[in-house]
Amino acid sequence: MAHSKTELLKKMSVNPWFAALPLAERKAMLAVTSLQIVSVGDVVYRKGDLSGSFYGVLDGLLRVSASGEDGREGILSVLESGNWFGETTLLDGQPRPHDVTVLQAGELLVIAPADFKRLMRRLGFAHGMAALLTARVRGLFGLVEDTMLRSIRMRVARRLISLAKGDMTMAAQTRQGVQVSHEELAMMLGVTRQTLAKELKYFVREGVLQLGYGHIDFLDTHLLLREAGLS
């Protein structure tokens, strides 16, 4: 499906990082993008790959994950419409640090390595990439801090809040629920489903959450924020 540059600009600018770029940089990015249609289960790239591009999620949902030596998979983050990803290998030349797999079919905007390199010569784009990487580092340190210092209950609450803000989107607005299965949430937290179920039952009993098939609704966002230590 063809999209006008104006349509792409409007659709991608719902993302806080992209919207914060100067208009000239956003237009420069979109001027060099190509469109890639993806289906459920498609792998955009795997851990260890050296090739690839810089990607924007126009439509769909993607999973960023890694697998341990025992074969267990951990979900690191979820990428929704508006998110950009894949810059690490293009910046340092090292292998891809994780897998990216399509959860919901959609379309990706693709910026080829040569075009990405030319964009990096633009001061506004380079500053934008620095801001994006800084946000990534803050998010990763937050996950490490949660694992080391916080209880399982607080980690569950904080992860739900993060997902409600689009996870990697880093939106200011907290949605009233998230589309996530219990298995996926357990994989994000690195806990067993039994451990997660115990904490979710607590939140349901306290009137904080309502559980559905493949989704979790927030009945009391203020209480969830309090349980997360964010209010």
Side-chain angles (χ1 to χ4, degrees):
M1 178 179 177
H3 301 275
S4 70
K5 296 302 180 184
T6 301
E7 181 186 355
L8 293 179
L9 181 64
K10 182 179 180 180
K11 194 160 187 178
M12 295 302 290
S13 291
V14 300
N15 178 270
W17 172 77
F18 188 69
L21 290 174
L23 181 58
E25 304 310 319
R26 283 180 277 161
K27 287 184 174 180
M29 290 174 65
L30 296 178
V32 296
T33 58
S34 59
L35 197 63
Q36 178 180 339
I37 297 173
V38 291
S39 303
V40 175
D42 285 354
V43 176
V44 181
Y45 55 75
R46 293 191 183 279
K47 181 177 180 179
D49 287 352
L50 280 168
S51 60
S53 302
F54 186 48
Y55 302 91
V57 184
L58 184 60
D59 290 298
L61 191 68
L62 288 81
R63 176 180 68 205
V64 181
S65 64
S67 299
E69 293 180 0
D70 59 359
R72 288 188 305 147
E73 185 181 25
I75 298 177
L76 305 178
S77 60
V78 176
L79 301 166
E80 63 178 17
S81 296
N83 287 159
W84 292 85
F85 67 97
E87 71 283 347
T88 306
T89 292
L90 295 176
L91 290 170
D92 65 11
Q94 298 300 306
R96 296 287 189 183
H98 45 245
D99 302 333
V100 176
T101 311
V102 180
L103 292 176
Q104 292 178 10
E107 298 172 300
L108 301 181
L109 298 177
V110 183
I111 297 179
D115 290 318
F116 182 86
K117 187 175 182 179
R118 281 190 285 271
L119 286 169
M120 282 297 294
R121 298 192 188 110
R122 300 172 62 100
L123 188 60
F125 181 78
H127 282 171
M129 290 308 304
L132 183 62
L133 289 171
T134 300
R136 304 258 205 251
V137 170
R138 286 182 181 275
L140 288 172
F141 275 130
L143 290 175
V144 172
E145 186 177 313
D146 286 350
T147 302
M148 293 177 63
L149 303 176
R150 295 188 171 92
S151 67
I152 296 293
R153 185 164 297 164
M154 184 175 283
R155 287 174 57 199
V156 171
R158 292 172 76 90
R159 192 59 167 160
L160 286 172
I161 292 295
S162 176
L163 289 169
K165 293 185 176 183
D167 206 13
M168 295 299 286
T169 303
M170 298 167 281
Q173 186 81 16
T174 303
R175 299 164 190 164
Q176 293 306 303
V178 294
Q179 294 289 328
V180 64
S181 70
H182 296 182
E183 181 179 6
E184 289 168 341
L185 185 56
M187 291 169 69
M188 292 177 189
L189 292 163
V191 300
T192 64
R193 288 192 64 177
Q194 291 79 6
T195 297
L196 175 63
K198 177 183 176 182
E199 300 304 330
L200 291 178
K201 286 179 182 177
Y202 164 81
F203 287 124
V204 170
R205 190 168 61 247
E206 294 298 312
V208 178
L209 303 176
Q210 179 175 297
L211 307 181
Y213 183 75
H215 65 88
I216 299 174
D217 297 321
F218 301 168
L219 301 180
D220 194 325
T221 303
H222 294 296
L223 273 178
L224 185 62
L225 286 166
R226 190 180 306 166
E227 292 283 359
L230 299 172
S231 68

